[in-house]
Amino acid sequence: MRIGLRGRFIAFVSAIVIAFGVVLTALAVRVQNDLLRHELDERGKLLIAVVATHVTDSLALLDVRQLRQLINETREQENVLDAVVFDEDGRVLTDGTIKNPLRHLLIDDAARQHVAVSDALLVEFSGDVMTVTKGVRLGGRLIGGVRLRYSRAGLAKDQAVLARKTALVGIVFGVLGVLAAALLTEAVTRPLKEVIDATRAISEGKQAPHLQVRTADEVGELAAAFNEMTRRLRETTVSRDYVDRVLETMGECLVVTRRNGTITLVNNAVCGLAGASEEELVGRHCGELFRAPKGYASLLHALNPEGSVHGLETELLSSTGEEFPVMVSIAEMDESPGRSGRYVIVAADISERLRTERQKEEFITMIHHEVRTPLTAVRGAIGLLDGGVAGDLGERGRELVANALRNSKRMERLVNDILVSRKLDFGHMTFHLEEMELMPLVDQAIEATASYGDQHEVRFDLDETAPGARIEVDPDRFIQVLTNVLSNAVRFSSAGDVVKVRVNRHDGYLRVAVADRGPGIPEKFRDQVFEPFARADEADWRNKSGTGLGMSISKAIIEELGGAISFDTEVGGGTTFRVDIPESDKLRESHVD
Amino acid sequence: MTRPGRIAAALFSSALIVVIACGGRADERAEPSSPAPFEATGIITFGSVSLNPASEHEVFRPFVDHVASRLREVGIGRGRVVVVDSISKMVEELNEGRIDVYIDSPFPVGFVWKRTEIDLLLRRWKRGSETYRSVVFVRADSGVNSVADLAGKMIAFGEPFSTSGFLMPKAALASTGLMLDNYEDAAASIPPDRVGYVFSNDAENTMFWVLKGKVDAGAVNEDYYQALAGSRVSELKIILTTEAVPRNLVCVRRSLDPRVTDALKDLLLGMDEDEEGQGVLKGFEETARFDPWPGGPERQLAGIMDLIQYVEEDVGQ
């Protein structure tokens, strides 16, 4: 049986109290016994002195009848064994009885000699018997004496009574001692119990109470240390309730499993999506909740060596047979020593996103088939009209056809940009990479945009080149990027301006910088330059913007080619776009060599 | 008048009569002339002389109750004990018919017998003996060799009412021609032609007084002498032993119904034959039995009556 601190403390203090009580009681009994013995002896001495006084007259008159009565009364006194009165010769006159068997017998010589010369008591001890002898004198003459045998065995009875009383007192003190021990223990262990209760409250996720520091001793220090610990704990941790609330309100599904995949915790989002209660899900294997991602035997087989995975698409399997597409991230959760690790699986329902993307896909398909194809036919017909297939249209007719042709081209560019943009978004764009020199591509782009510059009376100035520099790109898409950047510079330049083009190396990249002297990009719009359909609010910008897709397409293409696009701008000071593209390593290495 | 004499006179004047009835009214008495069968409503009254009526009653009570309970056939329903403080009062009570049965030593009985109508019924073996005697003794070295040598000496008797301790030895001494005078002080000077006596009031006192020389002689019941003398018996010498007299006598009022008298006699004679009766007798001063007077009561009493003349005055007190 386990005895707690409280029990041990009570037992310890009680043992001390009881031991103290036993020793004290023993000492008290001994002292009381001595006192009793002394008192008994004194009582015996006093008694014989009284008897001696009372028998004096009867001795003088030799009234044995009266002496017999007095001694008889004396014999009835407590602890008196027998008593005799003797004459001056030491012969017994009476022993207090009618038969008086001691009559005429002589008392012992020592007693006779003592009473002959002394008035003092002669006290003799033999075992538990005290014999006291006293001579009786009248007018200085010895007329006899009294001899009394007094039992100290009667002491045993008194001692027994005394022992019982003392034992009773001892028991009372023992009980009081145990009670005192219990109270003392309560006083000592109560703070400890408060600490235990508070610790248990923490372990159960409850708020720990603030302990009162009642004393300045070790227990008080313990309470103070506990309060400090809980204070720091509150600062560094969140309560389980708080965590539970977060888990229950978060939209994503959260599943905690053991290393073997057994589910130990799910939140409401999981239950809602899986159509099962927490009780039904906990204990099942996560493989029953998540389909194995493509290329993996199970969800947990997709973990990387670090024990985590991010952005993994799979399906969550509901109890009704439905499958919900989810994006899963898994992280290993460290546990305290001695406990096995766990996995935290966070799954986001991506059904809506996929549906949206599908709708966009359908929209693009619709644009491609229902807009671009008819538009191509329209532009071809207008082109034929503009080429005079239908004869002379007259001045007014030619103007209308030219206008229609211009707008149809514009619409065609817009539709093409949209299609390209969507292809880039969905990764459907096909790149035909080739290793080639950069400068010819730059020249082609300038040449392709030169006519557009001429229309705006803007010319290009290639004042720095990188001869022999090679890159690995899809030349058409790369030229598309450069053309977009160059035409953009033309669009925001004033008539007569020169757009400078520089090609150089920068941090391992080949950089093509196109600088105009236009109005610069408004500060509020700078973050949106590469966003699709981004157009500044300013009137100049709205008039000069294209489809709003050019820069976002350019950024997507150049990033697919491993490069980057950026700009420097100054309102009123012009803008410089920089296209960085990795230089071909093989070529660069040979160049270095 | 001596001091004991004055005390006795005072006691006589008070004439204390203590009547302790064992139930019933004091005036209820057995009618001597009541025809048979007797109704068990009568009372038989026992009388005794003592200066300590309470203890005397305690001695008589069980015996009287036992006797009364066995006399129902003669109309006795209850018993009663009357304790008087003098022999004279006893005579009076018997003459008045207020006491039916009187039990006492031979000398008081003789005194009463001379003065009222009583019949000697039975002898009582008090303390186990049917008779007793007294001895007069002196120290062996006293020089007293006979009672005649007691002239001018002091003798110690026991109690004034005691037959063996006083009346019988005094009568015996007086019958030899000695003239005895009572003194209070044992050391008093005695004329050479007289014998002085004091009451020691206790046989043991008498023995020690003689042994210690406080008196010249002493008289005690012969039965106690040896025990009292003990190892010092050789220091003593007996100079007179009295005639044996009955230990105790039972008398009945002559006017008592003869049927009651006869029934009482038969009852007492057979009392020692059953266990209950023996128990009662033992409690009644260790009485061994009751028996008839050998040779008839008058013959036995004749010797006592010869002596009683010497102590008639003492008995009457």
Side-chain angles (χ1 to χ4, degrees), chain A residues 294-319:
Chain A
K294 287 181 180 177
Y296 297 101
S298 69
L299 181 66
L300 296 183
H301 279 86
L303 292 170
N304 60 28
E306 286 74 33
S308 63
V309 67
H310 300 283
L312 190 66
E313 289 190 10
T314 183
E315 287 84 33
L316 186 148
L317 310 174
S318 77
S319 60

Side-chain angles (χ1 to χ4, degrees), chain A residues 390-582:
Chain A
D392 186 11
L393 299 178
E395 187 177 353
R396 181 57 180 164
R398 285 196 297 275
E399 289 178 359
L400 291 173
V401 168
N403 189 32
L405 182 60
R406 192 166 53 250
N407 282 294
S408 64
K409 287 181 178 176
R410 180 182 175 83
M411 285 186 66
E412 189 177 41
R413 282 200 306 275
L414 175 61
V415 170
N416 286 336
D417 283 350
I418 289 173
L419 291 177
V420 168
S421 174
R422 296 321 303 170
K423 283 183 178 178
L424 287 169
D425 284 347
F426 291 105
H428 295 166
M429 180 70 78
T430 302
F431 289 87
H432 302 285
L433 298 178
E434 297 176 34
E435 183 180 327
M436 57 186 60
E437 285 191 49
L438 170 60
M439 289 313 297
L441 296 177
V442 173
D443 292 339
Q444 287 180 44
I446 292 173
E447 185 179 346
T449 317
S451 61
Y452 182 68
D454 292 342
Q455 290 174 16
H456 292 79
E457 298 178 8
V458 175
R459 63 181 181 87
F460 298 103
D461 181 12
L462 180 60
D463 63 352
E464 190 176 354
T465 63
R470 296 179 70 85
I471 56 175
E472 185 177 15
V473 294
D474 181 326
D476 293 337
R477 297 302 174 196
F478 187 68
I479 289 173
Q480 182 183 354
V481 172
L482 294 180
T483 303
N484 188 43
V485 173
L486 291 170
S487 61
N488 223 28
V490 169
R491 195 176 303 127
F492 287 96
S493 294
S494 303
D497 282 352
V498 175
V499 174
K500 292 187 177 295
V501 179
R502 297 187 184 90
V503 179
N504 52 30
R505 289 186 172 84
H506 187 268
D507 291 338
Y509 285 80
L510 291 171
R511 169 172 289 180
V512 179
V514 177
D516 64 55
R517 297 179 58 81
I521 302 172
E523 190 169 350
K524 291 191 295 184
F525 185 63
R526 288 173 188 171
D527 292 339
Q528 304 169 33
V529 167
F530 297 110
E531 296 292 325
F533 304 107
R535 304 180 71 165
D537 293 335
E538 281 76 1
D540 289 346
W541 273 77
R542 281 202 302 274
N543 294 334
K544 292 178 179 177
S545 294
T547 62
L549 291 171
M551 293 312 291
S552 68
I553 291 172
S554 298
K555 183 173 185 292
I557 290 173
I558 206 69
E559 288 178 350
E560 284 289 332
L561 294 175
I565 183 169
S566 58
F567 65 86
D568 282 332
T569 185
E570 181 181 354
V571 176
T575 300
T576 300
F577 276 89
R578 299 180 296 266
V579 177
D580 296 331
I581 191 78

Side-chain angles (χ1 to χ4, degrees), chain B:
Chain B
M1 182 181 283
T2 61
R3 185 181 176 188
R6 287 198 299 273
I7 294 173
L11 291 172
F12 273 63
S13 65
S14 65
L16 174 63
I17 302 175
V18 177
V19 178
I20 304 173
C22 303
R25 300 200 315 260
D27 58 353
E28 290 180 321
R29 308 190 56 232
E31 294 298 329
S33 58
S34 299
F38 297 99
E39 294 180 3
T41 56
I43 298 173
I44 185 168
T45 304
F46 285 73
S48 180
V49 181
S50 174
L51 294 178
N52 192 348
S55 63
E56 191 74 358
H57 174 266
E58 291 301 315
V59 170
F60 271 76
R61 174 66 180 273
F63 170 74
V64 172
D65 284 346
H66 178 83
V67 169
S69 68
R70 278 156 177 73
L71 295 176
R72 299 186 69 81
E73 289 183 357
V74 291
I76 302 301
R78 285 170 291 183
R80 186 165 59 181
V81 179
V82 174
V83 181
V84 297
D85 58 358
S86 70
I87 297 296
S88 302
K89 190 66 180 175
M90 176 58 70
V91 171
E92 182 182 336
E93 293 297 303
L94 285 167
N95 282 333
E96 294 296 326
R98 289 192 288 266
I99 289 177
D100 303 317
V101 184
Y102 170 47
I103 301 175
D104 210 334
S105 300
F107 278 79
V109 168
F111 182 88
V112 172
W113 185 77
K114 284 179 67 176
R115 289 165 177 76
T116 186
E117 297 294 315
I118 61 171
D119 291 325
L120 301 176
L121 192 64
L122 294 171
R123 182 172 61 177
R124 176 191 175 202
W125 290 45
K126 183 180 177 182
R127 303 206 186 283
S129 58
E130 76 277 30
T131 60
Y132 62 165
R133 294 184 295 190
S134 296
V135 293
V136 176
F137 62 96
V138 295
R139 285 191 57 84
D141 57 359
S142 64
V144 176
N145 296 313
S146 66
V147 294
D149 295 336
L150 289 177
K153 307 290 186 184
M154 182 69 78
I155 183 171
F157 294 118
E159 292 172 307
F161 297 121
S162 171
T163 294
S164 62
F166 173 49
L167 297 174
M168 192 159 57
K170 181 187 176 186
L173 289 174
S175 66
T176 64
L178 290 175
M179 299 176 68
L180 290 89
D181 296 325
N182 180 220
Y183 291 86
E184 289 187 10
D185 185 3
S189 178
I190 311 298
D193 57 337
R194 314 289 289 193
V195 176
Y197 69 90
V198 291
F199 291 108
S200 72
N201 291 313
D202 185 87
E204 197 165 30
N205 272 353
T206 301
M207 177 59 68
F208 277 108
W209 286 10
V210 174
L211 284 171
K212 301 288 288 183
K214 184 175 182 178
V215 293
D216 299 303
V220 296
N221 187 326
E222 184 189 34
D223 294 341
Y224 306 151
Y225 173 76
Q226 195 64 41
L228 291 171
S231 61
R232 302 184 70 180
V233 69
S234 61
E235 298 179 33
L236 300 171
K237 179 170 60 181
I238 295 175
I239 57 172
L240 173 66
T241 300
T242 66
E243 293 293 324
V245 297
R247 187 69 174 84
N248 231 212
L249 300 173
V250 179
C251 311
V252 295
R253 179 168 49 87
R254 192 164 295 159
S255 58
L256 184 65
D257 188 312
R259 294 188 176 199
V260 176
T261 301
D262 293 343
L264 176 63
K265 184 177 182 180
D266 293 342
L267 173 66
L268 296 181
L269 284 172
M271 199 167 174
D272 62 322
E273 295 173 358
D274 64 82
E275 191 172 341
E276 184 181 2
Q278 290 170 0
V280 173
L281 288 176
K282 184 174 177 60
F284 187 41
E285 296 177 307
E286 298 183 355
T287 300
R289 67 174 68 90
F290 292 95
D291 63 358
W293 289 71
E298 282 72 18
R299 180 182 172 189
Q300 288 289 326
L301 197 58
I304 296 173
M305 295 311 294
D306 289 340
L307 290 174
I308 206 167
Q309 59 183 308
Y310 301 108
V311 292
E312 198 154 5
E313 184 179 351
D314 299 307
V315 175
Q317 292 178 351

